[in-house]
Amino acid sequence: MFRSFANINYRIWFAGALVSNIGGWMQATAQDWVVLTELTDNDAAAMGFTMALQFGPPLVLVSLTGWVADRFERRRILLATQTSLLLLAIAVGVLLLNDVMTLPMMFGFAAAFGVVNAFDAPARQAFVSDMVSSGDTSNAVALNSASFNLARMIGPAVGGLLIVAIGSGWVFIANAVTFLAMLVALLMLRTGQLAPRPKNRRTGGLAEGFRYVWGRSDLRVVFVTVFLIGAFGMNFPIFASTMALEFGAGADGYGILSSVLAIGSLAGALLAARRDRARVRVVIFAAGGFGIAAFVSAAMPTYVSYAVTLTFTGFMIVTLLTTANGYVQMTTAPALRGRVLALYMAVIMGSTPVGAPIAGWVADTFGPRSAIMLGGTAGFVACAIGAIWVFTSGRLHRAENSRFLMTLDETRPLDVIEADVVRRPEPVEFSDEAAVTTPIRTTKGDGSVR
């Protein structure tokens, strides 16, 4: 489960990312609560608009961010983006502490956070494969998700308590301090042990990445599933905050709900780390499971029962996202990985501007339970699309070792030799292993086949 920790660079990265992610979730909790209760009078639509501004830039800038992630050194990109996020957090904290923050100003900062994250996310996702071997990429992605969700379990609860104890402005300042952990980790990495970057001399930019995704039906299914869940199912700040208010809870109650959600999310990430590789069938099943969990949580009558169901919601959503991320990374040509991951991040983050305002409007008009059921419906639709693809793609067939079981052919990553390699590899001597992969048929003296 933890085989990626054998790599010292990954251990350093994991520690820095965990501290930084805890601060990020503290800030996210504070930002949502400030918009909902300090800058507006429980206006969920304004909260949805803030999320749209923050997650919209990855969609708008995808043609540039993917090219940057493939063209420039990813460690230097991350040093620049993490420093920028630190400075933005300090600015928001100072404005809140001086009581001069307004809703339009918060909208502007949300958009600024979004622009920086648009460059940070694809570089950060692709950088994981630079630190570990190709065989450990899926495990490293799953452990990254575990780190993210462990932080999600700690950060919102701490953030909610800090809002009550010292105020939301200081939460932003505290997050700025946690960015130092990631900056130190990036500076401590042993650059000589990072994997060499494959070069792609073909032109085409994002269009080439888009053609690659469009030419593979399995990736199209993954991207559509992620879009539907991201747009309508992953509006947890809206769901949890409005449900907390409905149950009469405050900022600390909202933070606890977010942490409970992360308990299930952490379990899903750790289970994904145990799998040898990511499979598209898991993405499809998890979408349906998320739909069921969403409808069950929407029917809960008390704060405690609603909190319990959030563990199952978190488990399903992180199983889906971690598997989808690992599948995209493992089965994408290395020279196009940055652009394909930029498209992936644009879909998952850019879907929020589509769904968050709708979810906020539904929560304001019909209540938060209706908004949650809207997300659950998106999960059922995504599962149905995946099931149709399974039965029509020609990949489903009877298992060779069982008469009654079916199996689904999965895409496997291929090692491609770059055309510009000058030195030819040494010839491989004949071995038993080669004989297994390339069977040789011979005949006996009587003409029978051995």
Side-chain angles (χ1 to χ4, degrees):
M1 181 187 296
F2 302 104
R3 59 183 181 272
S4 296
F5 285 146
N7 186 302
I8 186 171
N9 277 341
Y10 188 78
R11 294 199 302 270
I12 296 171
W13 164 270
F14 186 92
L18 178 60
V19 175
S20 181
N21 284 333
I22 290 175
W25 279 109
M26 290 166 50
Q27 175 175 297
T29 303
Q31 176 180 290
D32 297 336
W33 198 253
V34 165
V35 173
L36 189 65
T37 63
E38 296 181 21
L39 301 180
T40 68
D41 185 17
N42 299 337
D43 189 348
M47 188 175 173
F49 186 66
T50 304
M51 293 173 63
L53 288 172
Q54 186 166 349
F55 293 104
L59 182 61
V60 176
L61 300 174
V62 61
S63 61
L64 179 61
T65 57
W67 177 80
V68 169
D70 276 337
R71 175 65 178 82
F72 299 100
E73 184 184 346
R74 290 164 185 156
R75 190 179 71 94
R76 294 184 181 275
I77 296 173
L78 294 173
L79 285 169
T81 55
Q82 295 291 303
T83 301
S84 300
L85 291 171
L86 181 153
L87 296 175
L88 286 172
I90 291 176
V92 175
V94 170
L95 291 174
L96 286 172
L97 290 173
N98 288 278
D99 295 324
V100 295
M101 177 64 75
T102 64
L103 186 61
M105 291 173 63
M106 184 60 83
F107 287 160
F109 276 105
F113 279 116
V115 170
V116 178
N117 278 316
F119 289 91
D120 182 85
R124 179 160 33 89
Q125 295 291 333
F127 189 59
V128 173
S129 60
D130 293 345
M131 289 184 288
V132 299
S133 64
S134 59
D136 289 338
T137 298
S138 181
N139 177 257
V141 170
L143 289 177
N144 259 20
S145 181
S147 168
F148 181 80
N149 287 288
L150 179 60
R152 190 176 189 174
M153 186 166 55
I154 300 171
V158 174
L161 293 173
L162 289 179
I163 292 172
V164 176
I166 59 178
S168 54
W170 285 110
V171 178
F172 281 86
I173 300 298
N175 176 51
V177 175
T178 64
F179 277 116
L180 295 175
M182 178 59 85
L183 291 173
V184 170
L186 289 169
L187 293 173
M188 290 178 60
L189 293 179
R190 301 180 181 181
T191 56
Q193 296 183 13
L194 297 176
R197 294 279 301 279
K199 297 181 179 180
N200 182 16
R201 291 181 170 82
R202 297 174 58 188
T203 60
L206 180 68
E208 187 175 354
F210 182 81
R211 285 193 297 268
Y212 181 86
V213 173
W214 189 255
R216 286 180 49 187
S217 61
D218 56 334
L219 287 185
R220 293 201 303 269
V221 169
V222 171
F223 274 54
V224 168
T225 299
V226 168
F227 173 81
L228 289 172
I229 298 298
F232 302 105
M234 288 180 57
N235 298 301
F236 298 121
I238 296 175
F239 301 155
S241 61
T242 52
M243 287 294 284
L245 293 174
E246 181 170 307
F247 291 124
D252 51 349
Y254 166 46
I256 290 173
L257 286 178
S258 298
S259 295
V260 170
L261 177 74
I263 294 174
S265 302
L266 179 61
L270 291 176
L271 183 61
R274 291 179 60 88
R275 301 189 186 99
D276 57 343
R277 58 190 176 92
R279 292 174 170 85
V280 70
R281 72 189 77 171
V282 178
V283 176
I284 298 170
F285 289 142
F290 169 76
I292 295 173
F295 270 83
V296 171
S297 67
M300 292 297 101
T302 65
Y303 177 90
V304 174
S305 60
Y306 174 70
V308 170
T309 61
L310 285 184
T311 59
F312 299 98
T313 302
F315 178 85
M316 289 300 176
I317 197 68
V318 170
T319 297
L320 187 155
L321 294 179
T322 302
T323 306
N325 190 317
Y327 187 81
V328 171
Q329 291 217 41
M330 287 296 297
T331 64
T332 297
L336 290 172
R337 187 170 290 146
R339 272 161 283 190
V340 172
L341 282 172
L343 282 171
Y344 176 82
M345 297 307 299
V347 168
I348 193 172
M349 299 176 70
S351 59
T352 300
V354 177
I358 297 174
W361 175 80
V362 171
D364 281 338
T365 307
F366 303 103
R369 298 178 190 274
S370 298
I372 295 172
M373 287 189 288
L374 175 64
T377 302
F380 290 136
V381 172
C383 182
I385 292 173
I388 292 172
W389 171 78
V390 167
F391 288 107
T392 60
S393 63
R395 299 190 180 202
L396 187 68
H397 56 83
R398 182 176 296 172
E400 295 181 358
N401 57 352
S402 176
R403 184 176 181 181
F404 301 102
L405 295 180
M406 305 294 289
T407 185
L408 180 68
D409 291 336
E410 301 277 358
T411 299
R412 302 286 186 93
L414 297 176
D415 293 328
V416 180
I417 300 175
E418 295 293 322
D420 58 349
V421 175
V422 176
R423 186 178 62 85
R424 295 182 178 180
E426 295 295 330
V428 180
E429 296 182 359
F430 183 85
S431 65
D432 291 337
E433 182 179 357
V436 171
T437 58
T438 308
I440 301 174
R441 302 179 67 184
T442 61
T443 58
K444 300 178 180 179
D446 58 2
S448 62
V449 180
R450 291 182 182 178

Short mmCIF file of all heavy atoms in Angstrom, two decimals, residues 171-198:
data_model
loop_
_atom_site.label_atom_id
_atom_site.label_comp_id
_atom_site.label_asym_id
_atom_site.label_seq_id
_atom_site.Cartn_x
_atom_site.Cartn_y
_atom_site.Cartn_z
N VAL A 171 -7.39 32.72 10.16
CA VAL A 171 -7.34 31.42 9.49
C VAL A 171 -6.61 31.55 8.16
O VAL A 171 -5.81 30.68 7.78
CB VAL A 171 -8.76 30.85 9.29
CG1 VAL A 171 -8.70 29.53 8.53
CG2 VAL A 171 -9.45 30.66 10.63
N PHE A 172 -6.86 32.64 7.42
CA PHE A 172 -6.15 32.87 6.16
C PHE A 172 -4.66 33.07 6.41
O PHE A 172 -3.81 32.58 5.65
CB PHE A 172 -6.73 34.09 5.45
CG PHE A 172 -8.01 33.82 4.71
CD1 PHE A 172 -9.23 33.88 5.35
CD2 PHE A 172 -7.99 33.48 3.36
CE1 PHE A 172 -10.41 33.63 4.67
CE2 PHE A 172 -9.16 33.22 2.67
CZ PHE A 172 -10.38 33.29 3.33
N ILE A 173 -4.31 33.78 7.48
CA ILE A 173 -2.89 33.99 7.81
C ILE A 173 -2.24 32.65 8.16
O ILE A 173 -1.11 32.35 7.74
CB ILE A 173 -2.75 34.97 8.98
CG1 ILE A 173 -3.37 36.33 8.62
CG2 ILE A 173 -1.29 35.12 9.37
CD1 ILE A 173 -2.70 37.03 7.46
N ALA A 174 -2.96 31.81 8.92
CA ALA A 174 -2.42 30.49 9.27
C ALA A 174 -2.19 29.65 8.02
O ALA A 174 -1.19 28.93 7.93
CB ALA A 174 -3.37 29.78 10.23
N ASN A 175 -3.08 29.73 7.06
CA ASN A 175 -2.89 28.98 5.82
C ASN A 175 -1.66 29.47 5.07
O ASN A 175 -0.93 28.67 4.48
CB ASN A 175 -4.13 29.12 4.93
CG ASN A 175 -3.94 28.44 3.59
OD1 ASN A 175 -3.55 27.29 3.51
ND2 ASN A 175 -4.19 29.18 2.52
N ALA A 176 -1.42 30.78 5.08
CA ALA A 176 -0.23 31.31 4.42
C ALA A 176 1.04 30.70 5.00
O ALA A 176 1.98 30.38 4.27
CB ALA A 176 -0.20 32.83 4.54
N VAL A 177 1.06 30.49 6.31
CA VAL A 177 2.23 29.89 6.95
C VAL A 177 2.42 28.44 6.49
O VAL A 177 3.56 27.99 6.27
CB VAL A 177 2.08 29.96 8.49
CG1 VAL A 177 3.24 29.23 9.16
CG2 VAL A 177 2.03 31.41 8.95
N THR A 178 1.32 27.70 6.30
CA THR A 178 1.45 26.29 5.91
C THR A 178 2.01 26.14 4.50
O THR A 178 2.55 25.08 4.17
CB THR A 178 0.10 25.57 6.00
OG1 THR A 178 -0.83 26.14 5.06
CG2 THR A 178 -0.49 25.67 7.40
N PHE A 179 1.88 27.16 3.65
CA PHE A 179 2.46 27.07 2.31
C PHE A 179 3.98 26.96 2.38
O PHE A 179 4.62 26.45 1.44
CB PHE A 179 2.08 28.30 1.47
CG PHE A 179 0.73 28.19 0.83
CD1 PHE A 179 -0.28 29.07 1.19
CD2 PHE A 179 0.47 27.23 -0.13
CE1 PHE A 179 -1.54 28.97 0.60
CE2 PHE A 179 -0.77 27.13 -0.71
CZ PHE A 179 -1.78 28.00 -0.35
N LEU A 180 4.57 27.42 3.47
CA LEU A 180 6.03 27.33 3.61
C LEU A 180 6.48 25.87 3.62
O LEU A 180 7.58 25.56 3.16
CB LEU A 180 6.48 28.03 4.89
CG LEU A 180 6.24 29.55 4.93
CD1 LEU A 180 6.63 30.10 6.30
CD2 LEU A 180 7.03 30.25 3.83
N ALA A 181 5.64 24.97 4.14
CA ALA A 181 6.02 23.55 4.17
C ALA A 181 6.19 23.00 2.76
O ALA A 181 7.15 22.26 2.49
CB ALA A 181 4.95 22.75 4.92
N MET A 182 5.29 23.36 1.86
CA MET A 182 5.41 22.89 0.49
C MET A 182 6.61 23.53 -0.21
O MET A 182 7.33 22.86 -0.97
CB MET A 182 4.12 23.21 -0.28
CG MET A 182 4.18 22.81 -1.75
SD MET A 182 4.49 21.05 -1.99
CE MET A 182 2.83 20.42 -1.87
N LEU A 183 6.85 24.80 0.03
CA LEU A 183 8.00 25.47 -0.60
C LEU A 183 9.31 24.84 -0.13
O LEU A 183 10.22 24.62 -0.93
CB LEU A 183 7.97 26.96 -0.26
CG LEU A 183 6.82 27.76 -0.90
CD1 LEU A 183 6.80 29.18 -0.35
CD2 LEU A 183 6.98 27.79 -2.41
N VAL A 184 9.41 24.55 1.17
CA VAL A 184 10.63 23.90 1.69
C VAL A 184 10.79 22.51 1.08
O VAL A 184 11.89 22.10 0.69
CB VAL A 184 10.57 23.83 3.23
CG1 VAL A 184 11.71 22.96 3.76
CG2 VAL A 184 10.66 25.22 3.83
N ALA A 185 9.69 21.77 0.97
CA ALA A 185 9.76 20.43 0.39
C ALA A 185 10.24 20.48 -1.06
O ALA A 185 11.08 19.66 -1.48
CB ALA A 185 8.38 19.76 0.47
N LEU A 186 9.74 21.42 -1.83
CA LEU A 186 10.16 21.55 -3.23
C LEU A 186 11.64 21.87 -3.33
O LEU A 186 12.34 21.38 -4.24
CB LEU A 186 9.33 22.62 -3.92
CG LEU A 186 7.86 22.27 -4.19
CD1 LEU A 186 7.09 23.52 -4.63
CD2 LEU A 186 7.75 21.20 -5.28
N LEU A 187 12.14 22.69 -2.43
CA LEU A 187 13.56 23.05 -2.44
C LEU A 187 14.44 21.90 -1.98
O LEU A 187 15.62 21.81 -2.35
CB LEU A 187 13.80 24.28 -1.56
CG LEU A 187 13.16 25.59 -2.07
CD1 LEU A 187 13.31 26.69 -1.02
CD2 LEU A 187 13.80 26.02 -3.39
N MET A 188 13.90 20.99 -1.15
CA MET A 188 14.68 19.86 -0.63
C MET A 188 14.73 18.67 -1.57
O MET A 188 15.53 17.75 -1.37
CB MET A 188 14.09 19.40 0.71
CG MET A 188 14.29 20.36 1.86
SD MET A 188 13.49 19.75 3.38
CE MET A 188 14.36 18.19 3.61
N LEU A 189 13.91 18.65 -2.61
CA LEU A 189 13.88 17.49 -3.51
C LEU A 189 15.23 17.27 -4.18
O LEU A 189 15.91 18.23 -4.55
CB LEU A 189 12.80 17.69 -4.57
CG LEU A 189 11.34 17.69 -4.10
CD1 LEU A 189 10.41 17.92 -5.28
CD2 LEU A 189 10.99 16.37 -3.41
N ARG A 190 15.59 16.03 -4.37
CA ARG A 190 16.82 15.68 -5.08
C ARG A 190 16.52 15.65 -6.57
O ARG A 190 16.02 14.66 -7.11
CB ARG A 190 17.34 14.32 -4.58
CG ARG A 190 17.62 14.31 -3.09
CD ARG A 190 18.14 12.96 -2.62
NE ARG A 190 18.38 12.95 -1.19
CZ ARG A 190 18.86 11.91 -0.50
NH1 ARG A 190 19.15 10.77 -1.15
NH2 ARG A 190 19.05 11.98 0.80
N THR A 191 16.83 16.73 -7.23
CA THR A 191 16.45 16.88 -8.63
C THR A 191 17.11 15.85 -9.53
O THR A 191 16.57 15.49 -10.58
CB THR A 191 16.80 18.30 -9.12
OG1 THR A 191 18.20 18.55 -8.90
CG2 THR A 191 16.00 19.35 -8.35
N GLY A 192 18.29 15.35 -9.13
CA GLY A 192 18.97 14.35 -9.94
C GLY A 192 18.24 13.03 -9.99
O GLY A 192 18.50 12.21 -10.88
N GLN A 193 17.32 12.79 -9.04
CA GLN A 193 16.58 11.53 -9.00
C GLN A 193 15.20 11.63 -9.64
O GLN A 193 14.46 10.64 -9.66
CB GLN A 193 16.44 11.06 -7.55
CG GLN A 193 17.75 10.73 -6.88
CD GLN A 193 17.57 10.19 -5.47
OE1 GLN A 193 16.46 9.83 -5.07
NE2 GLN A 193 18.65 10.13 -4.71
N LEU A 194 14.86 12.80 -10.16
CA LEU A 194 13.58 12.95 -10.84
C LEU A 194 13.66 12.27 -12.20
O LEU A 194 14.71 12.25 -12.85
CB LEU A 194 13.22 14.42 -11.01
CG LEU A 194 13.01 15.23 -9.73
CD1 LEU A 194 12.76 16.69 -10.06
CD2 LEU A 194 11.86 14.66 -8.92
N ALA A 195 12.55 11.71 -12.64
CA ALA A 195 12.52 11.00 -13.92
C ALA A 195 12.76 11.98 -15.06
O ALA A 195 12.28 13.13 -15.02
CB ALA A 195 11.17 10.31 -14.11
N PRO A 196 13.50 11.58 -16.10
CA PRO A 196 13.71 12.46 -17.25
C PRO A 196 12.40 12.74 -17.95
O PRO A 196 11.53 11.88 -18.07
CB PRO A 196 14.66 11.67 -18.15
CG PRO A 196 14.46 10.24 -17.74
CD PRO A 196 14.15 10.27 -16.27
N ARG A 197 12.23 13.98 -18.40
CA ARG A 197 11.00 14.39 -19.06
C ARG A 197 11.01 13.97 -20.52
O ARG A 197 11.91 14.35 -21.28
CB ARG A 197 10.84 15.91 -18.97
CG ARG A 197 10.65 16.44 -17.57
CD ARG A 197 9.21 16.28 -17.12
NE ARG A 197 8.34 17.00 -18.01
CZ ARG A 197 8.13 18.33 -17.94
NH1 ARG A 197 8.73 19.04 -17.01
NH2 ARG A 197 7.31 18.92 -18.78
N PRO A 198 10.04 13.18 -20.99
CA PRO A 198 9.96 12.84 -22.41
C PRO A 198 9.65 14.08 -23.22
O PRO A 198 8.84 14.91 -22.82
CB PRO A 198 8.82 11.83 -22.48
CG PRO A 198 7.99 12.11 -21.27
CD PRO A 198 8.95 12.58 -20.23
#
